[in-house]
């Protein structure tokens, strides 16, 4: 009997259907060679999947490293098949009875393994999950409430899209099952484009049922702006930096006062590396949603190791750049809209008079806009230009509204609603359209959410967010006038497309969706802490079920409503409420003692 | 020390504050041993002070309390909730004798109160009414009031600890002796040189506002070298004061370097005990090492300024001196005022006056902004006199003791009330 036949026999006892499929699989995904140590190793497209010298030792090192963070009771889900040396090593490290799930996106790859590696003695401990990404994610979500994803990166590269899709599906599955309540601290910038986004994020997180503390540094904006009166540029920059550093320390004080489970900083928030290091020392998990073009604003490079999680609005080169710079977790998270703010509104006749027009553009005066928008100065339609940073606007001065003042959100919603054709040109510091233009700006989502029609310049990431039935996409700057003219004469088409885009936002592109995705990514990467809370592990009901060995503790937990999240501070509060005459048992005294140390903040800032 | 068996009473004393407070607790340890000679006493003290605790006579076992362990447990709880609870339970398995039949708790801090109730069946001192009861015994309340209101209090902290534990101030003051210490060769050479008198200079202080400027110490060392033949200044401090010590050496004229021994950051607490055992004098602000010097037998000259007050925390024992600065950190200021307004620190320092005291000349006095106080003891404990004048507040101590204590008081035969004895304590 060959190794392959023995392995198939073993597998048949676990999963007869899979065994039958492996028998039919073609194999040949892995190119197999002997390693220096004599055991087989594998190569795919000239990339080594295992060590060319000693794959067994390599697998052991991987397993040692991975198990450092594993918690008892977790089910381990391994991504990356290869020749399974790493899985075998993991089996030998874990106690009998622990479950290891291996995700199999390609049966041909598994057939290759079965041909050269004996699974005898450890293969029967593996639960094989196979199928398309959606099916696999569903199986994992159904089988395991507490699991930890372990990735064997070299083998992940064989089927990167399938694994990405699996992770994405799994996140969605988990997001649906979230019922725990986190305490999230959102730290905003002093000013700038990410400031309103911070507000939308706060609303979304609250709407999802989490407790949110918003550290709103825009309160300090007048003081910060006043520093512009310092004439010496170097001196001004130094003082501004000190000012910003102090706001970082203030953020730290807020964290100390009411420790969150998770800090979400928006781009431009004034958190220095020293502040982030202190948060890490205090075990506060941090994330940054970097809603900037990574090519233009590059301060992320200095901050990369400061955050546990990075969320960016660009893919491809951006994700690679962050990973190469040392980001431990970086994920794509596009912008969105808040339909409770960005919505259809009816303008009064006075508002329509001021804010309405055939064609409008709202945004800052970047170079490409200054070059292109004068094309819209025509007698055949009314054109209004809104927004700031339009000094020396030239011919555009005649259509610049409100003397180029900054337009607030409620007004911008009215402008979007009062305009027949909204022009949405992404910013670019040169002429025409940005040839590397990938990310989609917030205005795209906001216009769509308002049910307002827009013509937009082409962006590589746009098609996966909106399609051609939702907005008119210009491939070249030369199309601008003709597209505007076309749609100005097709009101029904405009309305239909705008309504499609609005529905798409409501279905997939609200800040609620983004925060669900963000939290499920963090929860997946931190299954014991954030993931546990999101699953409801900290709810009284769950805690009670796990506290049978401590009857005094259990009786305390019984005093909480079943779905309430219970932390040390809550237990301590209940104990203290027993009053001055109370005689406390050992467990109660221990809880109070730990709470005393939890409260200590003297070395926080 | 005889070994303990289960028939003998075993009690625990809790002192979780800093070095100075532990040393201010020596009198109550003595008094308790005088009152309960058959009992065994264990001491719960901060982990970093464990080695010093082992030098204190009459303590059966030192139990170190490691706050960092509890921080870890609290953090673990935040991370994993129930998984950390067994670890907290296990923490107490290290304590061999719990529950103690009686725990004396000297700290009015929630952690100490909780520790007292976790470790003992009956608590005396802070928290004696229950772990959640904010009512205090009269002595604890008195101390709390003094801490907040200050006022004309003349009860010394160490004696208040005695009151808290229901004992009188001790007849005999305990001393601390080092055991089997091997110092570095250069330190040993100086310590064993009986031809020199050693003056411990306590360089640093836990609080910034109690630090004496380095330049002032330089001037004192130079004055000692000039006016006290055969004297050697021994610079005392922890690792955090190394930079200051180097700055002092740098500032000091090379001419005087041979009269200075820099021990800063080079000694463990038991080694420091050994060094102080060889010092005739110790000079410093109101800090733990100053009180350690006193407990080791050195005669103290304290420079008390900022919030330090001679009547509450002056060196414990007869014959010690304190130069008390008359800044705004002194009597009559309530705690709130003190913390809202930074106390005024001295502009001049009693350098020559301190040298005169060490020369045995007494002080010519007259240093603006400073008063000289001398330590005395009687039945009601420690008190300090300025120009040897008794005042009403000193006599009032007897009434305070009687009001706050429910014990019958008799005078120690060896000590007469208000007797003035300028000899050095042991």
């Amino acid at each position: 009997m060959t190794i392959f036949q023995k392995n198939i026999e073993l597998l048949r006892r676990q999963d007869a259907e899979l065994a039958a499929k492996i028998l039919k699989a073609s194999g040949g995904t892995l190119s197999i060679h002997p390693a220096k140590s004599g055991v087989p190793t594998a190569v795919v497209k000239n990339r080594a999947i295992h060590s060319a010298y000693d794959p067994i030792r390599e697998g052991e090192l991987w397993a040692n490293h991975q198990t450092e963070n594993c918690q008892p009771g977790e089910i381990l889900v391994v991504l990356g098949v290869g020749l399974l040396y790493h899985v075998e090593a993991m089996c030998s490290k874990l106690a009998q009875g622990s479950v290891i799930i291996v995700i199999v996106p390609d049966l041909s790859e598994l057939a290759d393994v079965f041909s050269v590696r004996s699974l005898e003695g450890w293969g029967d401990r593996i639960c094989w999950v196979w199928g398309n990404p959606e099916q696999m994610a569903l199986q994992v979500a159904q089988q395991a409430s507490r699991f930890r994803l372990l990735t064997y990166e070299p083998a992940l590269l064989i089927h990167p899209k399938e694994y990405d899709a699996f992770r994405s599906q799994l996140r969605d599955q988990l997001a649906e099952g979230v019922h725990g309540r986190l305490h999230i601290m959102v730290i905003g910038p002093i000013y700038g484009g990410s400031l309103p986004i911070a507000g939308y994020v706060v609303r979304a997180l609250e709407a999802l049922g989490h407790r949110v503390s918003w550290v709103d540094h825009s309160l300090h904006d007048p003081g910060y702006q006043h520093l512009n009166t310092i004439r010496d540029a170097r001196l001004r920059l130094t003082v501004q930096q000190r000012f910003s550093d102090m706001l970082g320390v203030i953020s730290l004080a807020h964290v100390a006062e009411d420790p969150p489970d998770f800090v979400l900083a928006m781009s431009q928030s004034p958190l220095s590396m020293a502040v982030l290091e202190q948060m890490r020392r205090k075990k506060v998990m941090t994330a940054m949603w970097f809603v900037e073009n990574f090519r233009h604003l590059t301060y992320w490079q200095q901050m990369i190791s400061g955050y546990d999680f990075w969320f960016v609005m660009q893919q491809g080169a951006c994700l690679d750049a962050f990973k190469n710079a040392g980001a431990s977790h970086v994920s794509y998270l596009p912008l969105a809209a808040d339909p409770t703010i960005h919505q259809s509104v009816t303008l009064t006749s006075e508002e329509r008079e001021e804010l309405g027009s055939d064609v409008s553009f709202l945004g800052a005066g970047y170079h490409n806009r200054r070059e292109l928008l004068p094309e819209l100065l025509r007698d055949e339609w009314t054109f209004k230009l809104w927004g700031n940073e339009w000094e020396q606007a030239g011919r555009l001065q005649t259509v610049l509204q409100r003397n180029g003042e900054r337009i607030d959100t409620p007004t911008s919603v009215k402008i979007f609603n009062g305009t027949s054709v909204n022009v949405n040109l992404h910013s670019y510091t040169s002429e025409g359209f940005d040839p590397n233009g990938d990310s989609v700006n917030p205005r795209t989502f906001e216009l769509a959410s308002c049910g307002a029609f827009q013509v937009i310049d082409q962006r590589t990431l746009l098609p996966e967010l909106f399609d051609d039935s939702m907005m008119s996409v210009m491939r070249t700057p030369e199309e601008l006038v003709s597209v505007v003219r076309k749609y100005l004469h097709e009101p029904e088409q405009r309305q239909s497309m705008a309504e499609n885009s609005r529905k798409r936002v409501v279905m997939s592109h609200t800040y609620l969706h983004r925060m669900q995705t963000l939290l499920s990514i963090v929860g997946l990467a931190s299954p014991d802490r954030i993931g546990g809370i999101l699953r409801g592990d900290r709810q009284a009901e769950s805690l009670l079920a796990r506290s049978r060995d401590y009857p005094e503790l259990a009786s305390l937990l019984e005093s909480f409503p079943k779905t309430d999240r219970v932390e040390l501070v809550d237990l301590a509060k209940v104990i203290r409420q027993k009053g001055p005459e109370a005689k406390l048992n050992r467990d109660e005294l221990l809880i109070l003692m730990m709470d005393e140390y939890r409260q200590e903040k003297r070395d926080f800032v | 020390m005889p070994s303990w068996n289960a028939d003998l009473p075993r009690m625990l004393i809790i002192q979780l504050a800093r070095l100075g407070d532990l040393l201010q607790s020596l009198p109550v340890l003595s008094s308790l041993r005088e009152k309960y000679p058959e009992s065994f006493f264990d001491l719960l003290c901060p982990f970093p002070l464990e080695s010093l605790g082992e030098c204190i006579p009459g303590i059966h076992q030192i139990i170190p309390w490691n706050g960092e362990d509890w921080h870890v447990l609290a953090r673990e709880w935040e991370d994993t909730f129930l998984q950390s609870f067994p670890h907290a339970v296990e923490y107490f398995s290290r304590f061999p004798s719990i529950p103690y039949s009686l725990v004396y708790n000297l700290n009015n801090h929630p952690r100490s109160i909780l520790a007292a109730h976790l470790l003992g069946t009956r608590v005396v001192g802070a928290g004696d009414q229950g772990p959640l009861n904010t009512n205090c015994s009269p002595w604890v309340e008195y101390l709390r009031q003094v801490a907040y209101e200050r006022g004309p209090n003349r009860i010394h902290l160490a004696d208040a600890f005695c009151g808290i534990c229901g004992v009188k101030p001790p007849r005999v003051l305990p001393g601390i002796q080092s055991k089997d210490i091997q110092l570095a060769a250069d330190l040993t050479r100086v310590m064993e040189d009986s031809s020199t008198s050693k003056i411990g200079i306590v360089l640093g202080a836990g609080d910034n506002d109690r630090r004496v400027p380095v330049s002032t110490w330089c001037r004192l060392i130079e004055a000692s070298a000039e006016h006290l033949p055969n004297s050697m200044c021994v610079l005392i401090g922890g690792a955090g004061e190394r930079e200051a010590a180097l700055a002092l050496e740098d500032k000091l004229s090379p001419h005087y370097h041979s009269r200075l021994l820099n021990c800063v950051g080079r000694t463990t607490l038991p080694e420091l005990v050994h060094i102080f055992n060889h010092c005739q004098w110790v000079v410093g602000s109101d800090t733990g090492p100053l009180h350690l010097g006193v407990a080791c037998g050195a005669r103290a000259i304290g420079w008390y300024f900022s919030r330090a007050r001679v009547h509450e925390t002056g060196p414990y024992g007869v014959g010690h001196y304190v130069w008390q600065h008359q800044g705004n950190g002194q009597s009559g200021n309530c705690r709130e005022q003190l913390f809202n307004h930074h106390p005024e620190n001295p502009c001049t320092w009693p350098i020559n006056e301190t040298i005169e005291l060490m020369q045995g000349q007494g002080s010519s006095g007259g240093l603006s902004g400073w008063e000289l106080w001398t330590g005395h003891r009687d039945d009601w404990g420690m008190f300090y006199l300025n120009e040897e004048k008794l005042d009403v507040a000193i006599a009032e101590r007897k009434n305070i003791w009687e009001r706050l204590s429910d014990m019958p008081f008799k005078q120690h035969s060896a000590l007469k009330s208000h007797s003035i004895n300028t000899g050095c304590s042991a």
Side-chain angles (χ1 to χ4, degrees), chain A residues 529 538 543 550 596-597 600, chain B residues 65 78-79 81 86 111:
Chain A
R529 174 76 183 143
R538 296 303 184 89
L543 293 170
Y550 305 99
E596 278 294 322
Y597 281 90
E600 179 144 325
Chain B
W65 181 264
E78 295 281 300
D79 286 343
F81 202 79
R111 291 172 193 177

Side-chain angles (χ1 to χ4, degrees), chain A residues 299-495:
Chain A
Y299 69 87
W300 56 270
Q301 291 169 349
Q302 286 80 49
M303 309 297 292
I304 200 84
S305 62
Y307 290 96
D308 299 308
F309 296 88
W310 284 88
F311 294 92
V312 294
M313 57 175 201
Q314 289 157 286
Q315 289 188 340
C318 176
L319 295 176
D320 290 343
F322 275 67
K323 280 178 194 163
N324 291 338
S328 45
H329 297 94
V330 54
S331 309
Y332 170 58
L333 191 71
L335 287 162
D338 182 342
T340 63
I341 292 169
H342 308 111
Q343 57 182 326
S344 293
V345 292
T346 306
L347 275 60
T348 64
S349 55
E350 290 82 13
E351 286 172 338
R352 184 160 290 282
E353 180 66 27
E354 189 207 353
L355 307 174
S357 64
D358 293 328
V359 184
S360 80
F361 175 82
L362 194 162
Y366 280 86
H367 183 84
N368 62 328
R369 294 167 179 169
R370 288 171 181 263
E371 291 289 318
L372 203 54
L373 292 178
E375 296 290 321
L376 296 173
L377 295 169
R378 290 168 186 263
D379 292 337
E380 57 191 297
W381 55 63
T382 55
F383 173 51
K384 289 183 179 172
L385 177 62
W386 304 89
N388 53 351
E389 298 177 29
W390 284 102
E391 296 77 17
Q392 297 173 332
R395 288 202 294 145
L396 290 170
Q397 191 65 47
T398 57
V399 291
L400 183 63
Q401 308 296 304
R402 294 190 177 179
N403 287 322
E405 72 180 40
R406 189 176 168 79
I407 303 297
D408 61 25
T409 300
T411 309
S412 67
V413 167
K414 288 176 184 167
I415 293 168
F416 295 158
N417 276 278
T419 301
S420 302
V421 176
N422 288 279
V423 175
N424 183 5
L425 281 179
H426 285 79
S427 59
Y428 183 41
T429 50
S430 187
E431 288 176 14
F433 295 170
D434 183 354
N436 296 315
D438 46 7
S439 62
V440 175
N441 64 19
R443 194 181 307 106
T444 311
F445 299 94
E446 291 163 7
L447 281 162
S449 182
C450 288
F453 175 75
Q454 59 182 304
V455 295
I456 184 170
D457 52 332
Q458 182 172 255
R459 310 289 288 182
T460 54
L461 294 174
L462 185 64
E464 65 184 61
L465 300 164
F466 298 98
D467 62 39
D468 287 346
S469 74
M470 298 165 187
M471 52 194 63
S472 173
V473 182
M474 299 177 286
R475 269 65 187 175
T476 64
E478 290 72 32
E479 292 175 36
L480 176 62
V481 172
S482 61
V483 167
V484 168
R485 183 176 291 129
K486 173 177 184 288
Y487 283 101
L488 259 183
H489 295 103
E490 294 180 5
E492 286 175 5
Q493 179 74 0
R494 288 200 316 260
Q495 195 175 349

Side-chain angles (χ1 to χ4, degrees), chain A residues 26 70 89 166 308:
Chain A
S26 57
C70 296
F166 165 76
D308 299 308

Side-chain angles (χ1 to χ4, degrees), chain B residues 184-199:
Chain B
D186 58 328
L187 305 186
T188 302
R189 198 166 49 249
V190 173
M191 290 305 134
E192 288 180 354
D193 179 2
S194 56
S195 67
T196 58
S197 66
K198 272 76 94 183
I199 305 164

